[in-house]
Amino acid sequence: DAKTTQPPSMDCAEGRAANLPCNHSTISGNEYVYWYRQIHSQGPQYIIHGLKNNETNEMASLIITEDRKSSTLILPHATLRDTAVYYCIVRVGGGNNAGNMLTFGGGTRLMVKP
Amino acid sequence: DTAVSQTPKYLVTQMGNDKSIKCEQNLGHDTMYWYKQDSKKFLKIMFSYNNKELIINETVPNRFSPKSPDKAHLNLHINSLELGDSAVYFCASYSWDTQYFGPGTRLTVL
């Protein structure tokens, strides 16, 4: 699986958009970008994933650059409850493969401030 | 409705003891995992099970023995507990690109 690089921490004002960057310059053509978050004392939570097109769901948007070497997770209107560690993970996706476990890095600790 | 549940939530025990952590998922998934999160907060995969069969063992000491009585349950038994086993253990189930994590079990070995 390709390695990812994320800033260790970021701050965001409540109500503003939170833009979390991720570099994955060694990503392969069949690898997807996944985002999970872990709120304090809870298990990780799936947010979104994509291959090369931008994706949006009820939680966030994922913008992937054309060369796929980096991506940005966007929380459009951050709330205090979005304070968490956000993990960007790159791995082969698709299907229902039992070998598709996740390799977590250090993530970005997002602090949403009032 | 809790999709993935773990018991107990907290476990404090002495070195050398044997303990078990239970995990259950009501999502109907075939695949389940155990992850360990250490004091530095890094999450690492331990085991992967598919339909009650072990698929992946990420060089975990054989003191750790997962057991899957049916595909909704994946329990973790740990023998001869050591100080370094203190961590938060997460169970997860998986289906079609999404993993669903349990709330975690905080194990403290004294």
Side-chain angles (χ1 to χ4, degrees), chain A residues 32 34 36 38 40-46 49 87 91-106 109, chain B residues 9 30-31 33 35 37 41-45 48-50 55-56 58 90 94-104 106:
Chain A
Y32 287 66
Y34 295 80
Y36 281 74
Q38 187 174 21
H40 181 62
S41 296
Q42 297 183 22
Q45 177 191 24
Y46 167 81
H49 76 282
Y87 297 98
R91 66 158 173 79
V92 175
N96 213 15
N97 187 347
N100 280 346
M101 68 281 193
L102 300 171
T103 302
F104 288 84
R109 183 172 298 277
Chain B
K9 187 166 176 62
D30 289 338
T31 300
Y33 303 97
Y35 288 83
Q37 187 167 37
K41 303 297 185 184
F42 286 106
L43 267 158
K44 294 181 181 177
I45 183 71
S48 166
Y49 262 72
N50 187 55
I55 303 299
I56 292 170
E58 286 290 320
F90 289 99
Y94 169 80
S95 180
W96 296 103
D97 276 334
T98 302
Q99 292 200 18
Y100 302 83
F101 285 81
R106 181 174 294 276

Side-chain angles (χ1 to χ4, degrees), chain A residues 3-40:
Chain A
K3 290 186 177 177
T4 62
T5 304
Q6 299 178 252
S9 64
M10 291 181 64
D11 290 345
C12 177
E14 188 179 19
R16 304 298 290 266
N19 298 299
L20 293 99
C22 180
N23 285 328
H24 30 80
S25 59
T26 60
I27 191 169
S28 301
N30 62 347
E31 288 182 315
Y32 287 66
V33 181
Y34 295 80
W35 284 84
Y36 281 74
R37 74 179 182 184
Q38 187 174 21
I39 295 170
H40 181 62

Side-chain angles (χ1 to χ4, degrees), chain B residues 3 18 21 24 27 30 35 38 41 43 45 64 72 77 99 104:
Chain B
D18 303 338
I21 306 172
E24 177 181 1
L27 298 167
D30 289 338
Y35 288 83
D38 60 24
K41 303 297 185 184
L43 267 158
I45 183 71
F64 291 79
H77 187 77
Q99 292 200 18

